[in-house]
Amino acid sequence: MSLSVTYTRAQLGVSAPLVTVETHLANGLPAFHIVGLPEAAVRESRDRVRSALVNSHFEFPQRRITVNLAPADLPKEGGRYDLAIAIGILTASGQVPTGPLDRYEFLGELALTGALRQVSGALPAAIASAAAKRKLVVPRENGSEAALAGSEVGSARSLLEVCAELHGREKLPRAEQQAEQAITYCADLADVRGQLKARRALEVAAAGGHNLLFYGPPGTGKTMLASRLPGILPALTTSESIEVAAVYSSAGLPHQRQRPFRAPHHSASPTALVGGGSTPRPGEISLAHRGVLFLDEMPEFPRHALEILREPLENGEVRISRARAQVTFPARFQLVAAMNPCPCGYLGEPRCRCTPDQIDRYRNKLSGPLLDRIDMQVEVGAMSAVQLQDTPAGESSECVRERVCGARQQQMQRQGTINSLLKGVELEKYCVLGDREKLLLRQSAEKLGLSARSYHRVLKVARTLADLAKLEKIGTAQIAEALAYRNLDRRQAAIPTL
């Protein structure tokens, strides 16, 4: 037979569209052509495949070989198509039986020796292959990652092993997940001395998935507090773990078994944060999916880089449009940021020489729409040497995590999602207020100049505070505490009391 059809998967963000590899052998002068919008790495597979076949003791056909990668309008890049092309040539030349090919998909880069090398995006390909009810064959190094899809995945070390299965002589070993390891947290909340308000805010943010901004003088523990947040968050569920692993797989990084914590430097470009490039790749906000994105020295980031966070904070995803493709990456992250009160950091102290204009310019780097999307803005005050020495260690992360998990369990049982994701009708249904609570919130919103978005975020934080207190309804105490966490929204007015 001079024509064969094999299947493989492309990589497009966190999806894996099907690619049909059509191989035709024709009479004429020996030649090897690959069509179907291949990029340089794909075109170079001609030499890799030829050497791999020869060194695996197969015969390379001395005929006119045409390989079509369909669909033709989908860009193809990387060495992931090598294995499918090699199997297609062997099948078209009669060296491998054609019968079982429609039940398989092949993914892997070939070495010149015929060995298989690891590729990126194996997990999205395994998920898509399982949906198509085909068996995916991947390199051995990708086996544990692809096994997360829960479907049948064969792992092979070489082209010879794959051909042995197609001939029915020796079955490929099934890819298996790595043994589960206990999650270890390197930083404990007990290390933080004092700062009771900031600790409380961190617990509330973890319980409801709220965005959080710490501001205060240098050396007060803002970064230390933020780095402890992953230690008090619940463990990833199975579905969340697969989502995170798929993002890391598409980026060519080892898959995560715990909530990500990403802390990019303030010199990071907008592309580094949101993702992109000629071939779109996930940025820091997608790598922080289902985890924490920490922006230290937030006003030092380029303003344009900060502004692009606004849509992902609302939508939980980022869409990257390029001339050749449009890619959507998940970006359901929890934002935690830290900043100083002024450029020098010592506002209110005799050593501060910052002028009002300098302070305004520094703070105005954070736009109103961005601050609107940060549920809690908490001051972290300086501590004296006496306080540092005499203040006992606080609660451990384990104790706080128990309360956080309890509050989240209440939320999932009541509404099926965490409080920070409540929208529209759900807010009215699950954040019911009494007359006193409505009056307090209305008067406070008017005096503080809260926008509609800030108003709703105060409601969500109050709902989380009620969950932590194991209360069915939101009370005035929860409304007042939630308002106290909107420090940067305050004008020269006091919150009314009832």
Side-chain angles (χ1 to χ4, degrees), residues 129-159:
S129 179
K133 297 182 180 179
R134 293 193 187 97
K135 179 178 180 178
L136 180 66
V137 177
V138 297
R140 186 64 52 88
E141 291 79 4
N142 288 117
S144 61
E145 173 190 332
L148 292 173
S151 59
E152 186 180 1
V153 176
S155 64
R157 290 192 179 93
S158 67
L159 176 61

PDB file of all heavy atoms in Angstrom, residues 129-159:
ATOM      1  N   SER A 129      -7.245  12.822  23.217  1.00  0.00           N
ATOM      2  CA  SER A 129      -7.201  11.472  22.653  1.00  0.00           C
ATOM      3  C   SER A 129      -8.217  10.566  23.337  1.00  0.00           C
ATOM      4  O   SER A 129      -8.876   9.747  22.691  1.00  0.00           O
ATOM      5  CB  SER A 129      -5.786  10.908  22.802  1.00  0.00           C
ATOM      6  OG  SER A 129      -5.713   9.599  22.297  1.00  0.00           O
ATOM      7  N   ALA A 130      -8.344  10.705  24.665  1.00  0.00           N
ATOM      8  CA  ALA A 130      -9.327   9.902  25.392  1.00  0.00           C
ATOM      9  C   ALA A 130     -10.746  10.227  24.940  1.00  0.00           C
ATOM     10  O   ALA A 130     -11.594   9.336  24.805  1.00  0.00           O
ATOM     11  CB  ALA A 130      -9.176  10.145  26.891  1.00  0.00           C
ATOM     12  N   ALA A 131     -11.017  11.519  24.675  1.00  0.00           N
ATOM     13  CA  ALA A 131     -12.348  11.910  24.200  1.00  0.00           C
ATOM     14  C   ALA A 131     -12.639  11.319  22.828  1.00  0.00           C
ATOM     15  O   ALA A 131     -13.795  11.018  22.503  1.00  0.00           O
ATOM     16  CB  ALA A 131     -12.456  13.436  24.152  1.00  0.00           C
ATOM     17  N   ALA A 132     -11.587  11.131  22.017  1.00  0.00           N
ATOM     18  CA  ALA A 132     -11.756  10.531  20.683  1.00  0.00           C
ATOM     19  C   ALA A 132     -11.724   9.007  20.731  1.00  0.00           C
ATOM     20  O   ALA A 132     -11.824   8.363  19.677  1.00  0.00           O
ATOM     21  CB  ALA A 132     -10.665  11.048  19.749  1.00  0.00           C
ATOM     22  N   LYS A 133     -11.532   8.435  21.922  1.00  0.00           N
ATOM     23  CA  LYS A 133     -11.505   6.987  22.137  1.00  0.00           C
ATOM     24  C   LYS A 133     -10.380   6.308  21.348  1.00  0.00           C
ATOM     25  O   LYS A 133     -10.551   5.261  20.732  1.00  0.00           O
ATOM     26  CB  LYS A 133     -12.864   6.363  21.778  1.00  0.00           C
ATOM     27  CG  LYS A 133     -13.996   6.872  22.664  1.00  0.00           C
ATOM     28  CD  LYS A 133     -15.317   6.216  22.328  1.00  0.00           C
ATOM     29  CE  LYS A 133     -16.424   6.741  23.240  1.00  0.00           C
ATOM     30  NZ  LYS A 133     -17.740   6.141  22.933  1.00  0.00           N
ATOM     31  N   ARG A 134      -9.220   6.968  21.363  1.00  0.00           N
ATOM     32  CA  ARG A 134      -8.032   6.371  20.775  1.00  0.00           C
ATOM     33  C   ARG A 134      -6.952   6.254  21.841  1.00  0.00           C
ATOM     34  O   ARG A 134      -6.943   6.995  22.822  1.00  0.00           O
ATOM     35  CB  ARG A 134      -7.503   7.226  19.615  1.00  0.00           C
ATOM     36  CG  ARG A 134      -8.406   7.295  18.402  1.00  0.00           C
ATOM     37  CD  ARG A 134      -7.658   7.892  17.220  1.00  0.00           C
ATOM     38  NE  ARG A 134      -8.549   8.120  16.082  1.00  0.00           N
ATOM     39  CZ  ARG A 134      -9.108   9.298  15.812  1.00  0.00           C
ATOM     40  NH1 ARG A 134      -8.876  10.326  16.593  1.00  0.00           N
ATOM     41  NH2 ARG A 134      -9.905   9.428  14.768  1.00  0.00           N
ATOM     42  N   LYS A 135      -6.032   5.330  21.628  1.00  0.00           N
ATOM     43  CA  LYS A 135      -4.914   5.137  22.540  1.00  0.00           C
ATOM     44  C   LYS A 135      -3.768   6.041  22.118  1.00  0.00           C
ATOM     45  O   LYS A 135      -3.362   6.043  20.951  1.00  0.00           O
ATOM     46  CB  LYS A 135      -4.461   3.676  22.537  1.00  0.00           C
ATOM     47  CG  LYS A 135      -3.279   3.399  23.450  1.00  0.00           C
ATOM     48  CD  LYS A 135      -2.908   1.920  23.444  1.00  0.00           C
ATOM     49  CE  LYS A 135      -1.717   1.655  24.355  1.00  0.00           C
ATOM     50  NZ  LYS A 135      -1.378   0.208  24.395  1.00  0.00           N
ATOM     51  N   LEU A 136      -3.248   6.808  23.052  1.00  0.00           N
ATOM     52  CA  LEU A 136      -2.141   7.703  22.756  1.00  0.00           C
ATOM     53  C   LEU A 136      -0.821   7.021  23.093  1.00  0.00           C
ATOM     54  O   LEU A 136      -0.681   6.402  24.152  1.00  0.00           O
ATOM     55  CB  LEU A 136      -2.282   9.000  23.562  1.00  0.00           C
ATOM     56  CG  LEU A 136      -1.194  10.050  23.351  1.00  0.00           C
ATOM     57  CD1 LEU A 136      -1.240  10.605  21.928  1.00  0.00           C
ATOM     58  CD2 LEU A 136      -1.334  11.184  24.360  1.00  0.00           C
ATOM     59  N   VAL A 137       0.153   7.144  22.203  1.00  0.00           N
ATOM     60  CA  VAL A 137       1.504   6.631  22.430  1.00  0.00           C
ATOM     61  C   VAL A 137       2.431   7.828  22.609  1.00  0.00           C
ATOM     62  O   VAL A 137       2.490   8.707  21.732  1.00  0.00           O
ATOM     63  CB  VAL A 137       1.986   5.758  21.260  1.00  0.00           C
ATOM     64  CG1 VAL A 137       3.421   5.300  21.485  1.00  0.00           C
ATOM     65  CG2 VAL A 137       1.067   4.555  21.086  1.00  0.00           C
ATOM     66  N   VAL A 138       3.133   7.896  23.742  1.00  0.00           N
ATOM     67  CA  VAL A 138       4.002   9.025  24.057  1.00  0.00           C
ATOM     68  C   VAL A 138       5.374   8.512  24.471  1.00  0.00           C
ATOM     69  O   VAL A 138       5.536   7.335  24.820  1.00  0.00           O
ATOM     70  CB  VAL A 138       3.405   9.885  25.198  1.00  0.00           C
ATOM     71  CG1 VAL A 138       2.084  10.495  24.794  1.00  0.00           C
ATOM     72  CG2 VAL A 138       3.259   9.073  26.483  1.00  0.00           C
ATOM     73  N   PRO A 139       6.397   9.361  24.478  1.00  0.00           N
ATOM     74  CA  PRO A 139       7.703   8.974  25.018  1.00  0.00           C
ATOM     75  C   PRO A 139       7.604   8.630  26.503  1.00  0.00           C
ATOM     76  O   PRO A 139       6.721   9.126  27.216  1.00  0.00           O
ATOM     77  CB  PRO A 139       8.561  10.224  24.797  1.00  0.00           C
ATOM     78  CG  PRO A 139       7.884  10.960  23.685  1.00  0.00           C
ATOM     79  CD  PRO A 139       6.423  10.688  23.863  1.00  0.00           C
ATOM     80  N   ARG A 140       8.505   7.792  26.961  1.00  0.00           N
ATOM     81  CA  ARG A 140       8.469   7.337  28.355  1.00  0.00           C
ATOM     82  C   ARG A 140       8.509   8.507  29.344  1.00  0.00           C
ATOM     83  O   ARG A 140       7.852   8.474  30.387  1.00  0.00           O
ATOM     84  CB  ARG A 140       9.650   6.390  28.592  1.00  0.00           C
ATOM     85  CG  ARG A 140       9.673   5.706  29.955  1.00  0.00           C
ATOM     86  CD  ARG A 140       8.484   4.775  30.173  1.00  0.00           C
ATOM     87  NE  ARG A 140       8.296   3.813  29.111  1.00  0.00           N
ATOM     88  CZ  ARG A 140       8.886   2.616  29.067  1.00  0.00           C
ATOM     89  NH1 ARG A 140       9.720   2.251  30.025  1.00  0.00           N
ATOM     90  NH2 ARG A 140       8.635   1.775  28.080  1.00  0.00           N
ATOM     91  N   GLU A 141       9.278   9.560  29.012  1.00  0.00           N
ATOM     92  CA  GLU A 141       9.386  10.707  29.930  1.00  0.00           C
ATOM     93  C   GLU A 141       8.070  11.460  30.081  1.00  0.00           C
ATOM     94  O   GLU A 141       7.863  12.159  31.071  1.00  0.00           O
ATOM     95  CB  GLU A 141      10.470  11.679  29.445  1.00  0.00           C
ATOM     96  CG  GLU A 141      11.889  11.155  29.551  1.00  0.00           C
ATOM     97  CD  GLU A 141      12.229  10.200  28.414  1.00  0.00           C
ATOM     98  OE1 GLU A 141      11.372  10.026  27.518  1.00  0.00           O
ATOM     99  OE2 GLU A 141      13.338   9.638  28.423  1.00  0.00           O
ATOM    100  N   ASN A 142       7.179  11.356  29.106  1.00  0.00           N
ATOM    101  CA  ASN A 142       5.871  12.016  29.191  1.00  0.00           C
ATOM    102  C   ASN A 142       4.803  11.126  29.801  1.00  0.00           C
ATOM    103  O   ASN A 142       3.652  11.559  29.956  1.00  0.00           O
ATOM    104  CB  ASN A 142       5.397  12.439  27.797  1.00  0.00           C
ATOM    105  CG  ASN A 142       6.160  13.613  27.233  1.00  0.00           C
ATOM    106  OD1 ASN A 142       6.830  13.492  26.213  1.00  0.00           O
ATOM    107  ND2 ASN A 142       6.079  14.759  27.881  1.00  0.00           N
ATOM    108  N   GLY A 143       5.154   9.891  30.152  1.00  0.00           N
ATOM    109  CA  GLY A 143       4.152   8.934  30.582  1.00  0.00           C
ATOM    110  C   GLY A 143       3.390   9.348  31.821  1.00  0.00           C
ATOM    111  O   GLY A 143       2.150   9.320  31.844  1.00  0.00           O
ATOM    112  N   SER A 144       4.093   9.735  32.887  1.00  0.00           N
ATOM    113  CA  SER A 144       3.408  10.063  34.144  1.00  0.00           C
ATOM    114  C   SER A 144       2.513  11.284  33.987  1.00  0.00           C
ATOM    115  O   SER A 144       1.445  11.376  34.595  1.00  0.00           O
ATOM    116  CB  SER A 144       4.435  10.303  35.253  1.00  0.00           C
ATOM    117  OG  SER A 144       5.286  11.387  34.920  1.00  0.00           O
ATOM    118  N   GLU A 145       2.933  12.225  33.148  1.00  0.00           N
ATOM    119  CA  GLU A 145       2.131  13.420  32.902  1.00  0.00           C
ATOM    120  C   GLU A 145       0.861  13.071  32.132  1.00  0.00           C
ATOM    121  O   GLU A 145      -0.243  13.476  32.499  1.00  0.00           O
ATOM    122  CB  GLU A 145       2.974  14.421  32.123  1.00  0.00           C
ATOM    123  CG  GLU A 145       2.236  15.643  31.646  1.00  0.00           C
ATOM    124  CD  GLU A 145       3.078  16.462  30.686  1.00  0.00           C
ATOM    125  OE1 GLU A 145       4.322  16.437  30.779  1.00  0.00           O
ATOM    126  OE2 GLU A 145       2.475  17.121  29.815  1.00  0.00           O
ATOM    127  N   ALA A 146       1.006  12.290  31.048  1.00  0.00           N
ATOM    128  CA  ALA A 146      -0.156  11.932  30.234  1.00  0.00           C
ATOM    129  C   ALA A 146      -1.123  11.034  30.986  1.00  0.00           C
ATOM    130  O   ALA A 146      -2.327  11.042  30.718  1.00  0.00           O
ATOM    131  CB  ALA A 146       0.314  11.240  28.948  1.00  0.00           C
ATOM    132  N   ALA A 147      -0.616  10.259  31.959  1.00  0.00           N
ATOM    133  CA  ALA A 147      -1.471   9.345  32.717  1.00  0.00           C
ATOM    134  C   ALA A 147      -2.476  10.082  33.583  1.00  0.00           C
ATOM    135  O   ALA A 147      -3.466   9.490  34.038  1.00  0.00           O
ATOM    136  CB  ALA A 147      -0.614   8.426  33.584  1.00  0.00           C
ATOM    137  N   LEU A 148      -2.261  11.385  33.831  1.00  0.00           N
ATOM    138  CA  LEU A 148      -3.211  12.159  34.632  1.00  0.00           C
ATOM    139  C   LEU A 148      -4.573  12.240  33.966  1.00  0.00           C
ATOM    140  O   LEU A 148      -5.576  12.497  34.632  1.00  0.00           O
ATOM    141  CB  LEU A 148      -2.665  13.576  34.874  1.00  0.00           C
ATOM    142  CG  LEU A 148      -1.436  13.710  35.775  1.00  0.00           C
ATOM    143  CD1 LEU A 148      -0.919  15.133  35.766  1.00  0.00           C
ATOM    144  CD2 LEU A 148      -1.784  13.290  37.198  1.00  0.00           C
ATOM    145  N   ALA A 149      -4.624  12.022  32.652  1.00  0.00           N
ATOM    146  CA  ALA A 149      -5.902  12.085  31.942  1.00  0.00           C
ATOM    147  C   ALA A 149      -6.817  10.926  32.311  1.00  0.00           C
ATOM    148  O   ALA A 149      -8.024  10.967  32.055  1.00  0.00           O
ATOM    149  CB  ALA A 149      -5.654  12.087  30.433  1.00  0.00           C
ATOM    150  N   GLY A 150      -6.255   9.864  32.923  1.00  0.00           N
ATOM    151  CA  GLY A 150      -7.063   8.727  33.348  1.00  0.00           C
ATOM    152  C   GLY A 150      -7.442   7.782  32.238  1.00  0.00           C
ATOM    153  O   GLY A 150      -8.278   6.897  32.435  1.00  0.00           O
ATOM    154  N   SER A 151      -6.866   7.925  31.064  1.00  0.00           N
ATOM    155  CA  SER A 151      -7.169   7.045  29.938  1.00  0.00           C
ATOM    156  C   SER A 151      -5.984   6.119  29.671  1.00  0.00           C
ATOM    157  O   SER A 151      -4.939   6.221  30.317  1.00  0.00           O
ATOM    158  CB  SER A 151      -7.477   7.870  28.689  1.00  0.00           C
ATOM    159  OG  SER A 151      -6.367   8.689  28.369  1.00  0.00           O
ATOM    160  N   GLU A 152      -6.148   5.235  28.696  1.00  0.00           N
ATOM    161  CA  GLU A 152      -5.069   4.309  28.359  1.00  0.00           C
ATOM    162  C   GLU A 152      -4.016   5.039  27.526  1.00  0.00           C
ATOM    163  O   GLU A 152      -4.299   5.542  26.433  1.00  0.00           O
ATOM    164  CB  GLU A 152      -5.610   3.112  27.575  1.00  0.00           C
ATOM    165  CG  GLU A 152      -4.547   2.047  27.313  1.00  0.00           C
ATOM    166  CD  GLU A 152      -5.077   0.857  26.551  1.00  0.00           C
ATOM    167  OE1 GLU A 152      -6.276   0.863  26.211  1.00  0.00           O
ATOM    168  OE2 GLU A 152      -4.297  -0.076  26.303  1.00  0.00           O
ATOM    169  N   VAL A 153      -2.820   5.100  28.052  1.00  0.00           N
ATOM    170  CA  VAL A 153      -1.710   5.760  27.370  1.00  0.00           C
ATOM    171  C   VAL A 153      -0.529   4.799  27.368  1.00  0.00           C
ATOM    172  O   VAL A 153      -0.144   4.270  28.413  1.00  0.00           O
ATOM    173  CB  VAL A 153      -1.314   7.082  28.073  1.00  0.00           C
ATOM    174  CG1 VAL A 153      -0.086   7.698  27.386  1.00  0.00           C
ATOM    175  CG2 VAL A 153      -2.474   8.061  28.070  1.00  0.00           C
ATOM    176  N   GLY A 154       0.040   4.557  26.191  1.00  0.00           N
ATOM    177  CA  GLY A 154       1.216   3.706  26.088  1.00  0.00           C
ATOM    178  C   GLY A 154       2.476   4.546  26.080  1.00  0.00           C
ATOM    179  O   GLY A 154       2.532   5.584  25.424  1.00  0.00           O
ATOM    180  N   SER A 155       3.490   4.119  26.826  1.00  0.00           N
ATOM    181  CA  SER A 155       4.755   4.848  26.867  1.00  0.00           C
ATOM    182  C   SER A 155       5.847   3.997  26.231  1.00  0.00           C
ATOM    183  O   SER A 155       5.954   2.797  26.503  1.00  0.00           O
ATOM    184  CB  SER A 155       5.127   5.207  28.308  1.00  0.00           C
ATOM    185  OG  SER A 155       5.348   4.052  29.079  1.00  0.00           O
ATOM    186  N   ALA A 156       6.631   4.627  25.383  1.00  0.00           N
ATOM    187  CA  ALA A 156       7.657   3.893  24.641  1.00  0.00           C
ATOM    188  C   ALA A 156       8.989   4.618  24.735  1.00  0.00           C
ATOM    189  O   ALA A 156       9.045   5.850  24.834  1.00  0.00           O
ATOM    190  CB  ALA A 156       7.250   3.754  23.173  1.00  0.00           C
ATOM    191  N   ARG A 157      10.058   3.834  24.685  1.00  0.00           N
ATOM    192  CA  ARG A 157      11.398   4.409  24.691  1.00  0.00           C
ATOM    193  C   ARG A 157      11.927   4.640  23.273  1.00  0.00           C
ATOM    194  O   ARG A 157      12.808   5.471  23.078  1.00  0.00           O
ATOM    195  CB  ARG A 157      12.371   3.494  25.438  1.00  0.00           C
ATOM    196  CG  ARG A 157      12.165   3.410  26.936  1.00  0.00           C
ATOM    197  CD  ARG A 157      13.356   2.732  27.592  1.00  0.00           C
ATOM    198  NE  ARG A 157      13.201   2.666  29.039  1.00  0.00           N
ATOM    199  CZ  ARG A 157      12.665   1.636  29.678  1.00  0.00           C
ATOM    200  NH1 ARG A 157      12.227   0.588  28.992  1.00  0.00           N
ATOM    201  NH2 ARG A 157      12.562   1.637  30.982  1.00  0.00           N
ATOM    202  N   SER A 158      11.409   3.878  22.311  1.00  0.00           N
ATOM    203  CA  SER A 158      11.975   3.955  20.966  1.00  0.00           C
ATOM    204  C   SER A 158      10.925   3.637  19.915  1.00  0.00           C
ATOM    205  O   SER A 158       9.835   3.125  20.216  1.00  0.00           O
ATOM    206  CB  SER A 158      13.148   2.976  20.834  1.00  0.00           C
ATOM    207  OG  SER A 158      12.678   1.638  20.910  1.00  0.00           O
ATOM    208  N   LEU A 159      11.290   3.908  18.667  1.00  0.00           N
ATOM    209  CA  LEU A 159      10.431   3.584  17.528  1.00  0.00           C
ATOM    210  C   LEU A 159      10.222   2.078  17.408  1.00  0.00           C
ATOM    211  O   LEU A 159       9.126   1.619  17.060  1.00  0.00           O
ATOM    212  CB  LEU A 159      11.071   4.138  16.252  1.00  0.00           C
ATOM    213  CG  LEU A 159      10.392   3.823  14.918  1.00  0.00           C
ATOM    214  CD1 LEU A 159       8.978   4.396  14.889  1.00  0.00           C
ATOM    215  CD2 LEU A 159      11.225   4.363  13.768  1.00  0.00           C
TER     216      LEU A 159
END
